[in-house]
Amino acid sequence: MVSSPNIPDIVIGRLPIYLRALTQMSQQGQTFTSSHELGQRLGISSAQIRKDLSLFGDFGKQGTGYQISHLLTQLKQILQVNHEWPMIIVGAGDLGRALAHYRGFVSRGFRVVGVFDNDPAKIGMGNGDWQVYGMDQMVSFIHKRRVKIAMLAVPAETAQEVSDRLVDAGIRAILSYAPITLVVPSGVHVQYIDPVMHLQRMTYYLKSDER
Amino acid sequence: MVSSPNIPDIVIGRLPIYLRALTQMSQQGQTFTSSHELGQRLGISSAQIRKDLSLFGDFGKQGTGYQISHLLTQLKQILQVNHEWPMIIVGAGDLGRALAHYRGFVSRGFRVVGVFDNDPAKIGMGNGDWQVYGMDQMVSFIHKRRVKIAMLAVPAETAQEVSDRLVDAGIRAILSYAPITLVVPSGVHVQYIDPVMHLQRMTYYLKSDER
C-alpha cells in the first residue's frame, strides 16, 4: 500500500462502494474481477475505477484483472475497517432502535456498544452487545470504552448540543440523521443521512405528468 | 425559471442541500441571505453556489443577495416538491417502521401512504396516513394511488426481486436501504442509503492510534 497523503475525498467516498461490491462478488464465490465488470455493476467508468485504485498501489494485472481477496484486504486496510470500531448511538427512538438492531454493521467493521437516551422508559433495553443508558452516562462511557464514532438519531433541535458534548468527550466521527448541518471543530468528521435529500434529488427527474 | 435540459446530476444533488439550509434560515425568521453565508454554513464555496443557482435563472441581486422566500419557491419548483408525492415503503421491519413514523417527510414534499410486508403479524398496523398491507396488494395499490416513489427496507436477498416488481407496477424512483446495487431499466431512478458506507468514508481519516 502506497502512502497516500492527498487523495481527494471524492475518491475516498468511492472506496466503500468498491468494497461492498467486491464483498458481494466474493460471497458469490467469485475470485477475480476486472475494472470493466466492477464498472458495469456500479455504473462507474472502468477508467475511473482503475485511476482511483492506482492511487493506492498496483492491485491489478493486465489480462487477469484484480484478485478479489487481495483487493478486499487492501481496501479494508486503507479504510481502516480491518479491525472493529466500537460505536455508540444517541437517541433510542424508532430510528435509533432500528439502527441498534441493524445486523449489517459487524461484518463491515463496526459494532454498536451503547445507546443513549433521556427517556427512563427506554433505559435498560438492549441485547447482548448494547443497552440503553441515560445521557448522563454518555461521556464516561465514551472515555471508558474509547469510542471514537457516534451515530446521531436525535431531533434537529437538540442535535447541535449533543454533537458538542460528543466532540468534547472525544468522538471524532459523527454520522448524523438529524436534518441540520452541524458545526464541529476541524479534525472531527461528519456525514449526514437525510432520506428527503435523496428523494428530492430523484423527483427532479420525474416527469410532471407522473405526479 | 430557465428551461434546463442538461444540468449535471452533481448540481441537482446540491439543490436539496440549499433547500434544506434556506428552509432552516426562513424558519429562524431570516429573509435574505448571500452565497457567502450559505457557503459558510454548508462548507461549499460561494462561487460554486452562485454558479449552481445561475444555471436555473437569475435569483440574486448584487449587494442584497438572495431573497430567501423567492429562492425557496423556485428551488421547490425545480425539484418538483412544490406538491406532495405519495410514497410507499416496502418492508415493515425495524427500519421500515422507523421510516413510516418519521415526521420529516410531509413538510418537504412526501407522504407515506402505504407500507407492505409479508408478515401477517404486521399487516393492519398503521396510523392515519398509512397502514401495513400484504405484499400481494402492492401492485394494485401502486396503480390505484398512482404512486411513483418507493422506499425499500427489505433484506439484501430479496431487494432485487422486490425492485423488479415495483418497477413493473410503475414505480419510477426507489430509495433503497438494502446494501446491494439494484439493476433497473433506464428511466427509473435509484438512490441508496447505506450507513456503513458513510462510516467507512470517515474511518479512513481517523488516526490509527484512535482506534
Side-chain angles (χ1 to χ4, degrees):
Chain A
M1 182 181 129
V2 175
S3 136
S4 44
N6 287 311
I7 310 286
D9 182 61
I10 189 123
V11 175
I12 304 305
R14 282 192 290 265
L15 300 185
I17 304 176
Y18 302 153
L19 177 55
R20 193 174 82 171
L22 290 162
T23 303
Q24 216 179 321
M25 289 175 173
S26 169
Q27 284 165 350
Q28 287 159 359
Q30 200 175 331
T31 52
F32 282 89
T33 187
S34 63
S35 55
H36 179 75
E37 186 190 32
L38 258 181
Q40 287 278 90
R41 191 185 268 240
L42 297 173
I44 299 173
S45 82
S46 58
Q48 182 73 70
I49 293 174
R50 286 194 300 275
K51 197 176 152 199
D52 285 353
L53 295 177
S54 71
L55 291 171
F56 299 94
D58 186 17
F59 301 132
K61 275 193 196 125
Q62 192 70 37
T64 56
Y66 299 104
Q67 193 193 351
I68 291 174
S69 64
H70 177 66
L71 193 47
L72 278 175
T73 304
Q74 296 296 316
L75 283 174
K76 285 180 188 170
Q77 190 180 328
I78 293 165
L79 293 170
Q80 302 199 83
V81 289
N82 47 353
H83 291 99
E84 196 173 84
W85 295 84
M87 180 167 69
I88 62 166
I89 296 171
V90 189
D94 289 318
L95 176 63
R97 291 202 307 277
L99 288 170
H101 285 114
Y102 179 58
R103 280 162 301 180
F105 291 127
V106 170
S107 62
R108 297 167 75 193
F110 304 91
R111 185 182 297 270
V112 177
V113 294
V115 180
F116 296 86
D117 201 289
N118 265 333
D119 181 352
K122 288 172 186 150
I123 294 170
M125 292 170 54
N127 68 13
D129 274 342
W130 54 268
Q131 71 171 68
V132 182
Y133 303 94
M135 292 291 285
D136 54 337
Q137 296 182 62
M138 191 171 74
V139 171
S140 64
F141 186 97
I142 290 170
H143 287 150
K144 201 177 79 183
R145 299 289 294 264
R146 303 182 67 206
V147 181
K148 298 295 165 191
I149 305 175
M151 301 180 80
L152 206 49
V154 299
E157 305 80 67
T158 54
Q160 182 63 56
E161 184 208 322
V162 172
S163 166
D164 292 344
R165 289 170 64 185
L166 289 169
V167 171
D168 282 348
I171 291 294
R172 289 294 167 263
I174 297 173
L175 178 54
S176 177
Y177 285 78
I180 64 157
T181 304
L182 299 174
V183 180
V184 296
S186 78
V188 176
H189 304 274
V190 183
Q191 291 270 312
Y192 300 94
I193 289 184
D194 179 349
V196 176
M197 290 216 180
H198 293 275
L199 293 168
Q200 291 179 337
R201 186 174 185 160
M202 294 191 287
T203 51
Y204 171 82
Y205 295 102
L206 296 185
K207 294 198 193 74
S208 307
D209 60 5
E210 293 191 330
R211 183 179 295 127
Chain B
M1 184 180 126
V2 175
S3 134
S4 44
N6 286 311
I7 310 285
D9 182 60
I10 190 124
V11 175
I12 304 306
R14 281 191 290 264
L15 300 185
I17 304 176
Y18 302 154
L19 178 55
R20 193 174 83 171
L22 290 162
T23 303
Q24 216 180 321
M25 288 176 174
S26 170
Q27 283 164 349
Q28 288 160 358
Q30 199 175 331
T31 53
F32 282 89
T33 186
S34 62
S35 55
H36 179 75
E37 186 190 31
L38 258 180
Q40 286 278 90
R41 191 185 267 241
L42 298 172
I44 298 173
S45 81
S46 58
Q48 183 73 69
I49 293 173
R50 286 194 300 275
K51 196 176 153 201
D52 285 352
L53 295 178
S54 72
L55 291 171
F56 300 94
D58 185 17
F59 300 132
K61 276 194 194 126
Q62 192 70 36
T64 57
Y66 299 105
Q67 192 193 350
I68 291 175
S69 64
H70 177 66
L71 193 47
L72 279 174
T73 304
Q74 296 297 317
L75 283 174
K76 285 179 188 170
Q77 190 180 327
I78 293 165
L79 293 171
Q80 303 198 83
V81 290
N82 47 352
H83 291 99
E84 195 174 85
W85 295 85
M87 180 167 68
I88 61 166
I89 296 171
V90 189
D94 291 317
L95 176 64
R97 292 203 307 277
L99 288 170
H101 285 113
Y102 179 58
R103 282 162 299 179
F105 290 127
V106 171
S107 61
R108 297 167 74 192
F110 305 91
R111 185 183 296 270
V112 177
V113 295
V115 180
F116 296 87
D117 200 289
N118 266 331
D119 181 352
K122 288 170 187 153
I123 293 170
M125 292 171 52
N127 68 15
D129 275 340
W130 54 267
Q131 72 171 66
V132 181
Y133 303 95
M135 291 292 287
D136 54 337
Q137 296 183 61
M138 190 171 74
V139 171
S140 63
F141 186 97
I142 290 169
H143 288 150
K144 203 176 76 183
R145 300 290 294 265
R146 305 182 66 206
V147 181
K148 297 296 164 192
I149 305 176
M151 301 180 80
L152 206 50
V154 299
E157 305 81 66
T158 55
Q160 182 63 55
E161 183 208 322
V162 172
S163 167
D164 292 345
R165 290 171 63 187
L166 289 170
V167 171
D168 283 348
I171 292 293
R172 289 295 166 261
I174 297 173
L175 178 54
S176 177
Y177 285 78
I180 64 157
T181 303
L182 298 174
V183 181
V184 296
S186 76
V188 176
H189 304 275
V190 184
Q191 290 269 311
Y192 300 94
I193 289 185
D194 179 348
V196 176
M197 290 219 181
H198 293 275
L199 293 169
Q200 291 179 338
R201 185 173 186 161
M202 295 192 286
T203 50
Y204 172 82
Y205 294 101
L206 297 185
K207 294 198 192 75
S208 308
D209 60 5
E210 293 191 330
R211 182 179 295 127

